[in-house]
Amino acid sequence: MAKWGEGDPRWIVEQRVDGTNVNNWHWTERDVSSWSSVLLRDLLLGVRAEGPEGVVQLTEVPKVEGESSINNRRGKLFFFYEWQLRASWLGTTGGGVKFRGTVDVSNLSDENDMEDLDISVSLCKDQPDTPLLGLMKTRGVQEVRRALGEFVRQLKSEFSQGMILAKADGQPQLPEPQTQKNQIQTCKAQKSPTARCFSGPAPSFPGVPISTCTFNLTETFQTSPEELYRTFISQEVPNRKIEMRWRFRTWPGEHYAAVRLDLEDRGGETELRMECGGVPEGEEDSTREGWTRFYFQAIKQVFGY
């Protein structure tokens, strides 16, 4: 998972030297962090509440840290976002006396409902106590939740149409890779006889000389190996092993990890065993967490496995 302030180290699946799509990987992602950052600021700056105590409103948003992305897998969309926010608020009494404070949101995430958001309100240290603090904690916080709910609504409505395109036969089709700044280019699925899964030992790939490590993951899915296989690969072949070259976009240039996925039928469910070798030292935890959240948990969430 990305660390705050370090950008969006999302997944890149590389093509082979001959241009074919490795294993017909078919998972498209759009990074919308920049768009989200602007929208969050605009919505929060519109927060205002009135009461017998006076008026409170947000005047600045000095901290907007996080990421948003939209994923398309086999014609289904799911959204990831995770943000930490801080805003400054100004309160004015009926008599014109002004007070200042801050609002912090630490867990705006796809994993939390709006009512579960942790929103803390405080006065600046040099400010005396005032009933306006109570107004900000009640009606002001309600307006903050409303603004953040609007962000989620616009995120899902603004990009859902652009992520699934219709083919001539009316079936869903993935959009072409984009070339905008801060946007990941993903491989289009190709029906090519040369794009097959490896059946031998894990391949080795040339890369930069850095210290690396290996980790393993095991996950169980309530489906057959064949169906789980098609979740990762668009090619219709009855195989239970996937091997690929893979990298974070923040890793040193030309360095790739070797990923192997083994699927084993457990009688009504499938055990997936993953081995990921060649991970740069210090990146093991973020890579492990990323695969668990953005692939395994996403598959269960979208496909119900």
Side-chain angles (χ1 to χ4, degrees), residues 16 22-23 196-201 203 205 239 241-244:
R16 289 180 182 152
V22 177
N23 296 322
R196 297 177 180 173
C197 297
F198 299 108
S199 60
F205 304 106
N239 210 317
K241 181 185 298 183
I242 302 170
E243 296 188 2
M244 69 186 78

Side-chain angles (χ1 to χ4, degrees), residues 94-114:
V97 180
K98 298 184 183 299
F99 296 84
R100 298 184 181 277
T102 58
V103 177
D104 287 278
V105 182
S106 60
N107 62 341
L108 177 60
S109 167
D110 56 272
E111 297 179 342
N112 298 312
D113 294 330
M114 282 299 119

Side-chain angles (χ1 to χ4, degrees), residues 26-291:
H26 203 49
W27 191 295
T28 301
E29 176 171 323
R30 178 178 295 179
D31 177 8
V32 292
S33 299
S34 297
W35 177 90
S36 297
S37 178
V38 172
L39 179 60
L40 283 167
R41 278 194 169 90
D42 288 345
L43 290 172
L44 289 174
L45 289 175
V47 168
R48 185 178 185 275
E50 296 185 31
E53 306 87 344
V55 178
V56 292
Q57 62 187 50
L58 300 188
T59 57
E60 294 181 88
V61 188
K63 179 180 179 181
V64 181
E65 298 179 354
E67 60 192 19
S68 299
S69 66
I70 307 168
N71 291 264
N72 182 328
R73 179 61 190 132
R74 294 174 62 190
K76 295 186 178 182
L77 294 180
F78 47 100
F79 300 80
F80 293 111
Y81 52 91
E82 190 168 18
W83 293 91
Q84 290 184 332
L85 310 167
R86 171 170 289 178
S88 300
W89 63 272
L90 172 66
T92 306
T93 67
V97 180
K98 298 184 183 299
F99 296 84
R100 298 184 181 277
T102 58
V103 177
D104 287 278
V105 182
S106 60
N107 62 341
L108 177 60
S109 167
D110 56 272
E111 297 179 342
N112 298 312
D113 294 330
M114 282 299 119
E115 58 268 25
D116 296 327
L117 292 183
D118 182 11
I119 303 176
S120 60
V121 179
S122 61
L123 281 167
C124 293
K125 292 182 179 180
D126 60 346
Q127 300 288 290
D129 193 21
T130 171
L132 290 171
L133 177 61
L135 177 62
M136 189 66 227
K137 287 184 174 181
T138 54
R139 297 187 183 180
V141 166
Q142 291 177 359
E143 288 302 304
V144 170
R145 291 187 193 277
R146 181 199 60 76
L148 298 181
E150 177 63 14
F151 159 71
V152 175
R153 187 196 70 78
Q154 290 194 35
L155 173 67
K156 294 182 177 181
S157 62
E158 179 77 12
F159 293 96
S160 60
Q161 294 183 356
M163 286 292 287
I164 299 182
L165 306 179
K167 296 190 300 184
D169 59 4
Q171 297 300 313
Q173 170 181 294
L174 293 181
E176 295 292 331
Q178 303 294 312
T179 57
Q180 298 177 0
K181 185 178 180 181
N182 296 327
Q183 194 166 44
I184 293 177
Q185 297 187 40
T186 54
C187 302
K188 288 177 58 182
Q190 299 176 1
K191 298 296 184 179
S192 168
T194 61
R196 297 177 180 173
C197 297
F198 299 108
S199 60
S204 59
F205 304 106
V208 295
I210 62 174
S211 299
T212 64
C213 60
T214 298
F215 70 87
N216 298 277
L217 289 173
T218 300
E219 190 71 48
T220 300
F221 296 85
Q222 303 298 316
T223 188
S224 67
E226 290 77 15
E227 185 63 25
L228 181 58
Y229 183 90
R230 289 194 293 270
T231 299
F232 286 98
I233 306 300
S234 62
Q235 179 176 328
E236 301 290 338
V237 294
N239 210 317
R240 300 186 180 183
K241 181 185 298 183
I242 302 170
E243 296 188 2
M244 69 186 78
R245 57 185 299 184
W246 177 94
R247 68 184 296 265
F248 264 133
R249 57 185 295 193
T250 54
W251 287 358
E254 299 305 318
H255 181 80
Y256 306 93
V259 174
R260 170 172 169 164
L261 305 177
D262 289 293
L263 312 180
E264 184 171 344
D265 192 345
R266 293 291 189 181
E269 61 184 25
T270 299
E271 181 180 86
L272 182 153
R273 294 187 300 274
M274 171 187 173
E275 179 178 313
C276 185
V279 177
E281 287 188 352
E283 296 286 336
E284 178 182 348
D285 289 343
S286 60
T287 305
R288 182 193 303 271
E289 292 172 5
W291 268 90

